[in-house]
Amino acid sequence: MTSPHPNLPDFARSLELSLDELARPLDWEALFGRSGPNAIEIGTGNGYFIAAEAARLPRFNFIGIERDSTFYAKMVKRCARAGLANVRTTRLDALELLRRWIPRQSLARVYCYFSDPWHKRRHRARRVFTDAFPPLVEPLLAPGGELWFKTDVGWYFNLAVTVFRERGGWDFLEIGRQSPPDPARGDVITNFERKAREAGSKVWGFRVTPDDAV
């Protein structure tokens, strides 16, 4: 279990989830004081995306997950300064949160953007996208719920696509190289994507949903 971040200012602490005090599975409506579409971002980085997306989608309830202590503190402070009452945060391992706390059919959206591909063989177990991931997340998505994925690592994109295709029962709503963001559409990107595009890197991604939810 994670302990509260030691270096957060008082104004930001209300966003931290105290999972030790929550029943399992968690009650989204009790947590946010309202019902609404629920979303998780796995790996928030410095919080640029979740802060912008939560502001853009005020009806959504968000949980942001970030293991890196420095990025986590930046993310929580960014969301707190923006006054985002629809965001909660945790440093808990994302797969543990999904496995132990998230109720079935409660998620409208899961974002996983630019997660670490863990290139080395001995680190493969740390990847989010393994054969175990689709069957874990599938029952947690509400009807019509979607998982959104982006990366600038071509082979990791191919691996992520493969684990869903080999699992079966998923429909790809969008797949392939991602167009540059269009502010006119209200597109929101992560800080990692901004840096990747500035460096001239290609960005790949997909949106996927269980096919019985289409």
Side-chain angles (χ1 to χ4, degrees), residues 110-115 129 146-162 164-165 171-180 188-190 193 196-197 201-209:
V110 176
Y111 303 93
C112 192
Y113 287 166
F114 294 83
S115 58
F129 286 85
E146 300 178 8
L147 183 141
W148 295 19
F149 171 80
K150 286 185 184 180
T151 183
D152 61 343
V153 181
W155 64 263
Y156 194 48
F157 166 75
N158 291 331
L159 183 151
V161 169
T162 297
F164 279 95
R165 283 183 168 162
D171 185 74
F172 284 86
L173 307 176
E174 175 186 350
I175 183 171
R177 187 171 176 182
Q178 301 291 287
S179 302
V188 176
I189 64 172
T190 66
E193 180 170 354
R197 291 191 180 279
S201 300
K202 297 177 181 178
V203 175
W204 308 89
F206 57 76
R207 293 188 298 118
V208 66
T209 188

Side-chain angles (χ1 to χ4, degrees), residues 10-192:
D10 289 342
F11 75 86
R13 292 198 177 278
S14 63
L15 272 63
E16 282 201 291
L17 283 178
S18 181
L19 291 170
D20 287 326
E21 301 173 3
L22 293 178
R24 291 183 293 188
L26 66 79
D27 184 332
W28 286 91
E29 187 168 352
L31 182 62
F32 287 92
R34 65 178 192 174
S35 61
N38 304 313
I40 285 178
E41 184 184 5
I42 298 174
T44 64
N46 67 11
Y48 182 86
F49 174 80
I50 194 172
E53 190 77 338
R56 188 178 75 89
L57 300 173
R59 293 192 308 110
F60 273 66
N61 303 317
F62 287 84
I63 293 178
I65 307 167
E66 178 54 57
R67 299 296 304 279
D68 182 274
S69 181
T70 300
F71 279 142
Y72 177 81
K74 290 179 179 179
M75 180 264 292
V76 180
K77 288 186 281 188
R78 185 188 297 275
C79 292
R81 289 193 183 104
L84 295 170
N86 61 333
V87 175
R88 299 292 184 273
T89 67
T90 181
R91 287 186 293 151
L92 187 68
D93 176 77
L95 300 183
E96 184 176 354
L97 182 75
L98 293 174
R99 191 177 295 117
R100 300 178 64 190
W101 267 276
I102 302 303
R104 294 175 63 89
Q105 295 193 331
S106 69
L107 293 173
R109 198 167 294 171
V110 176
Y111 303 93
C112 192
Y113 287 166
F114 294 83
S115 58
D116 195 328
W118 296 107
H119 296 76
K120 296 181 180 179
R121 182 183 296 272
R122 67 178 182 272
H123 293 156
R124 287 180 180 176
R126 301 182 187 181
R127 293 175 186 161
V128 172
F129 286 85
T130 67
D131 292 343
F133 186 62
L136 172 61
V137 74
E138 181 177 331
L140 306 182
L141 289 170
E146 300 178 8
L147 183 141
W148 295 19
F149 171 80
K150 286 185 184 180
T151 183
D152 61 343
V153 181
W155 64 263
Y156 194 48
F157 166 75
N158 291 331
L159 183 151
V161 169
T162 297
V163 298
F164 279 95
R165 283 183 168 162
E166 290 188 345
R167 168 66 176 173
W170 290 83
D171 185 74
F172 284 86
L173 307 176
E174 175 186 350
I175 183 171
R177 187 171 176 182
Q178 301 291 287
S179 302
D182 182 356
R185 288 199 307 255
D187 291 348
V188 176
I189 64 172
T190 66
N191 195 45
F192 287 105

